[in-house]
Amino acid sequence: MPPSPDARRYAPATERNRQPILAVLQRVLPPTGTVLEVSSGTGEHAVFFAPHLAPRQWLPSDLDPGARASIAAWREAAPAENLHAPIALDAAAPLWPVESENFSDLLSPLDLQQHPITALVNVNMIHISPWAACLGLLAAAGRILPTGGILYLYGPYQQNGQHTAPSNAAFDASLQAQNPEWGVRDLDAVVAAAKVHELALVETIAMPANNLSVVFRAIG
């Protein structure tokens, strides 16, 4: 039985940032293939982005079962031919489900042979997860993406060891009070960790509410 739309979750920031993010994605994503969204959260981004980014396939994912139920409910309420059912994915895991040879048989009707993953998109995750999740995301991007593939990150960052706004400093303090493993990351540290996995920084774009879009390209 399909999930009820009542399972839908809502994130107020999504409605504010989805159009600016989409404008960047339309410009930087490869024109074909599958976009794997890591940590899709409520699913509001997925249902908004997918129809605007066709013919690319959009594969949402999340570690949290409640989030996956919300994504599925949003997908039921606003279906799109290129929007697929969410998969369980732990960004910190050493091997991701999409790397399995029988992924399409076991977990999804999406044929990754026909529509290979050409981009990973991650919005507002690495500051509300342990650093290991960011490292796992970068490592997987290095393994999964073809040469020229794109990793897109969105969220708040420190630059040159400094917060970009007092509001970001306060946000960072509140995150660390909730969980010492969370916090606004220094962009230089993320770029250095990405370089280990042959991901080159292509562009950093200022976004609303003191956030950044950070675009990497696989060069391996």
Side-chain angles (χ1 to χ4, degrees), residues 1 22 35 47-48 65 67 83 91 102 111 119 127 133 135-136 140 151 155 158 160 163 171-172 178 196 207 218 220:
M1 180 178 294
L22 175 63
V35 180
V47 297
F48 180 73
L83 176 59
N102 57 354
D111 184 350
H127 57 284
L135 295 179
L151 169 64
Q158 298 180 50
N160 302 313
H163 288 290
F171 182 45
D172 186 30
Q178 294 176 66
V196 172
M207 302 292 282

Side-chain angles (χ1 to χ4, degrees), residues 22-138:
L22 175 63
V24 177
L25 293 179
Q26 288 174 319
R27 181 170 61 81
V28 304
L29 290 180
T32 60
T34 293
V35 180
L36 171 59
E37 183 186 13
V38 181
S39 189
S40 301
T42 64
E44 293 168 279
H45 277 142
V47 297
F48 180 73
F49 293 153
H52 286 92
L53 293 170
R56 304 169 187 88
Q57 305 298 300
W58 194 273
L59 178 61
S61 71
D62 208 281
L63 179 61
D64 174 34
R68 294 197 301 275
S70 177
I71 298 162
W74 274 107
R75 179 172 175 257
E76 180 189 6
E81 288 186 5
N82 64 325
L83 176 59
H84 296 269
I87 62 169
L89 192 152
D90 178 359
L95 191 70
W96 285 9
V98 292
E99 297 179 78
S100 169
E101 289 184 3
N102 57 354
F103 168 77
S104 295
D105 296 333
L106 296 179
L107 296 173
S108 170
L110 175 60
D111 184 350
L112 292 181
Q113 296 294 321
Q114 182 181 359
H115 303 286
I117 293 171
T118 54
L120 270 60
V121 168
N122 181 242
V123 175
N124 284 333
M125 181 197 81
I126 68 173
H127 57 284
I128 52 172
S129 59
W131 179 238
C134 178
L135 295 179
L137 171 63
L138 297 173

Side-chain angles (χ1 to χ4, degrees), residues 6 19 23 65-66 86 94 98 132 152 154 158 185:
D6 293 341
Q19 191 64 53
V98 292
Y152 171 88
Y154 174 91
Q158 298 180 50
R185 310 300 180 186

